[in-house]
Amino acid sequence: MKTTIKEAKNYLNQEVTIGGWLHNKRSSGKIAFLQLRDGTGFMQGVVVKAEVSEDTFQLAKNITQESSLFVTGEITEDTRSDLGYEMQVKSIEVIDEAHDYPITPKNHGTEFLMDHRHLWLRSKKQHAVMKIRNEIIRATYEFFNDNGFTKIDPPILTASAPEGTSELFHTKYFDEDAFLSQSGQLYMEAAAMAHGKVFSFGPTFRAEKSKTRRHLIEFWMIEPEMAFYNHADNLEVQEQYVTHLVQSVLKNCKIELKTLERDTEKLAKVATPFPRITYDDAVTFLKEEGFDDIEWGEDFGAPHETAIANHYDLPVFITNYPTKIKPFYMQPNPDNEDTVLCADLIAPEGYGEIIGGSERINDLALMEQRINEHELDAESYSYYLDLRKYGSVPHSGFGLGLERAVAWISGVEHVRETSPFPRLLNRLYP
Ligand code: 4AD
Ligand code: MG
């Protein structure tokens, strides 16, 4: 019977064949322990000299790291392993022998591993991170489908900039100038006027010269947009969505979280409602905490966000930032016109902003004024203004950065490990 490591649990005390790779091994004169991987998981294969042919035992002892093989044997219970079972190997068929695999069990530097990202993906830790990423994607579709959202795909090649003009990737579009999308938001606003509640999930690009543990040049963003939702409604959707992501990973990625040694108690605490603090109160709080460098009107840096997040030890919304440090499209706060109806969601444990969102300006005259103030080319925003001309309604939305969410939930330090092939300031290979 051919099966996989993950499905082998259904074949306890039966003989099966699994196609995989040799991850690692250990052997003595009488027994060899093969660490096998097949994409679905990692499993130990035990080869006992007295129970297999001499050829098979010699093969097990000499087989090289990352050689591909078919192994056949009986699946037996093993309460000591995370998996709960192992294989008593009867025979081994080598498919392809690997020589001098560059990533050995010893420690390698990050740059070396990043240069070998195409192989590094096979390691147990990287495998676990990608499985968690996949679970977050799955749970995203589940959440938005279950809550009446329609998925709409905004374009990647665009003529204008939603989030400020300095971080754009420029390219030629035949004879015209074009930019790779920084955010699908403005198109999602159009989609919300057609479908009510919509979400997108796609790649976005920021030519940011930032070299931090939170910044990628290419990252994936989930961008919901909801007609008739105000600022408060928007925050409720966000806290429900993020809680669903965390609970799905806790439920469906137990082995992966264990592999990553993630402190799951911290994740288990995540529940709605999330704490909220206004920008004004956050500035006061930071001053009390001894941050003398922050003045009202300035954006928060990573240390500020971390101090606020540590205070709550939960995801926290920082609301109502000053108008002048946020994009042009945000609805003014009726209680203080120097601020806007927006929120950044800050993840705990120092992972920083994972969501940026806001209520959008729905008044045509005000939107035109903002486009002028920001010196944007009104003509290329003509379609966006149409949304305010023909049946404008209050609406809100947000963007969750997938890689930052994966970094936080899986507990890996740097976003570069949350993207299969990360594009970084100094890295376009592999
Ligand atoms: O806060 P941002 O720039 O918001 C927008 O783009 C809005 N248009 C979204 C919307 O309302 N539809 O980006 C949203 C999120 C951030 O909170 C962060 O998680 C992620 O995108 N992000 C990045 N992730 C990795 N590398 C980068 N360089 C990122 N820039 C933003
Ligand atoms: Mg932001």
Side-chain angles (χ1 to χ4, degrees):
M1 186 50 149
K2 219 173 180 178
T3 189
T4 61
I5 290 174
K6 191 169 179 200
E7 294 305 315
K9 61 176 180 288
N10 302 320
Y11 297 95
L12 222 53
N13 305 320
Q14 295 174 49
E15 189 169 296
V16 298
T17 297
I18 292 174
W21 293 262
L22 183 80
H23 183 60
N24 201 348
K25 75 164 190 278
R26 195 155 62 75
S27 61
S28 68
K30 292 191 172 124
I31 195 162
F33 297 101
L34 310 180
Q35 301 307 322
L36 303 164
R37 55 168 204 91
D38 77 337
T40 71
F42 291 76
M43 183 184 76
Q44 175 160 274
V46 185
V47 194
V48 181
K49 188 173 193 296
E51 287 173 21
V52 296
S53 71
E54 185 55 26
D55 283 356
T56 299
F57 191 70
Q58 286 311 316
L59 186 59
K61 280 192 75 162
N62 295 325
I63 200 160
T64 49
Q65 191 191 351
E66 288 305 318
S67 290
S68 49
L69 30 93
F70 287 115
V71 284
T72 301
E74 188 185 331
I75 302 298
T76 55
E77 202 179 316
D78 172 28
T79 48
R80 287 156 306 175
S81 78
D82 294 345
L83 195 65
Y85 49 90
E86 60 184 13
M87 180 191 268
Q88 308 304 319
V89 176
K90 298 274 148 52
S91 65
I92 302 168
E93 180 194 330
V94 174
I95 305 165
D96 181 49
E97 207 174 287
H99 292 286
D100 306 318
Y101 186 69
I103 305 177
T104 57
K106 70 161 195 180
N107 276 338
H108 296 281
T110 304
E111 284 309 302
F112 178 87
L113 291 168
M114 291 298 290
D115 284 341
H116 294 85
R117 183 63 174 166
H118 51 296
L119 302 176
W120 191 25
L121 285 173
R122 302 179 184 192
S123 78
K124 203 169 181 180
K125 183 176 168 198
Q126 299 305 314
H127 181 267
V129 176
M130 285 306 125
K131 284 286 193 260
I132 290 175
R133 179 183 167 114
N134 180 63
E135 175 59 20
I136 290 175
I137 294 169
R138 190 203 63 76
T140 291
Y141 281 90
E142 180 176 75
F143 180 85
F144 290 111
N145 284 324
D146 287 353
N147 285 286
F149 286 70
T150 301
K151 181 163 185 276
I152 298 282
D153 305 315
I156 305 292
L157 286 165
T158 62
S160 59
E163 295 295 317
T165 44
S166 58
E167 302 163 355
L168 284 170
F169 260 109
H170 180 243
T171 182
K172 288 309 278 184
Y173 192 77
F174 305 105
D175 293 335
E176 287 178 63
D177 286 315
F179 308 97
L180 299 183
S181 177
Q182 283 179 309
S183 158
Q185 179 194 323
L186 307 195
Y187 295 99
M188 297 312 288
E189 290 185 50
M193 300 308 138
H195 290 269
K197 293 198 284 184
V198 294
F199 75 107
S200 68
F201 173 49
T204 45
F205 306 85
R206 307 262 168 112
E208 285 182 274
K209 294 258 155 54
S210 307
K211 207 176 163 187
T212 77
R213 52 181 279 227
R214 300 168 178 186
H215 286 90
L216 292 164
I217 304 299
E218 177 179 311
F219 65 98
W220 284 62
M221 187 150 54
I222 292 115
E223 293 189 272
E225 194 70 33
M226 295 89 68
F228 309 105
Y229 275 49
N230 64 23
H231 175 55
D233 302 330
N234 194 20
L235 300 194
E236 271 179 41
V237 176
Q238 292 171 47
E239 62 198 3
Q240 284 163 9
Y241 168 48
V242 169
T243 303
H244 180 69
L245 296 183
V246 171
Q247 283 173 355
S248 299
V249 171
L250 282 172
K251 179 162 168 251
N252 299 322
C253 297
K254 291 196 177 76
I255 291 178
E256 289 80 6
L257 290 167
K258 211 161 174 187
T259 297
L260 296 167
E261 296 171 13
R262 182 68 172 101
D263 180 352
T264 51
E265 264 170 41
K266 290 218 158 109
L267 294 176
K269 278 187 8 191
V270 174
T272 59
F274 294 170
R276 293 147 165 73
I277 180 173
T278 63
Y279 172 89
D280 290 5
D281 289 346
V283 171
T284 308
F285 166 81
L286 289 169
K287 283 187 184 294
E288 283 167 7
E289 291 289 298
F291 287 91
D292 303 324
D293 56 331
I294 192 82
E295 287 305 326
W296 196 97
E298 289 168 5
D299 209 353
F300 297 144
H304 307 118
E305 289 178 354
T306 301
I308 295 164
N310 285 347
H311 180 67
Y312 294 96
D313 208 21
L314 283 170
V316 49
F317 288 114
I318 305 178
T319 65
N320 305 341
Y321 280 79
T323 314
K324 63 172 190 191
I325 55 169
K326 285 292 176 189
F328 71 96
Y329 50 72
M330 293 187 179
Q331 177 75 11
N333 177 5
D335 298 331
N336 175 0
E337 298 267 335
D338 292 333
T339 64
V340 280
L341 294 178
C342 74
D344 283 357
L345 182 66
I346 313 300
E349 301 172 65
Y351 285 93
E353 178 199 329
I354 53 170
I355 290 182
S358 66
E359 186 169 330
R360 324 303 193 186
I361 292 172
N362 60 66
D363 180 71
L364 177 62
L366 179 59
M367 185 60 91
E368 284 173 333
Q369 183 192 324
R370 286 282 192 271
I371 285 176
N372 278 332
E373 285 166 2
H374 284 254
E375 296 176 0
L376 299 169
D377 169 28
E379 210 171 299
S380 57
Y381 289 90
S382 159
Y383 82 93
Y384 191 61
L385 291 168
D386 274 355
L387 309 177
R388 278 81 188 161
K389 275 185 200 159
Y390 306 113
S392 189
V393 299
H395 63 286
S396 302
F398 64 94
L400 173 124
L402 175 68
E403 289 79 5
R404 290 205 193 160
V406 175
W408 162 49
I409 294 174
S410 54
V412 303
E413 174 77 8
H414 199 296
V415 284
R416 67 182 162 225
E417 289 183 40
T418 66
S419 167
F421 295 98
R423 309 288 87 160
L424 300 163
L425 196 51
N426 301 318
R427 183 171 293 281
L428 194 56
Y429 175 89

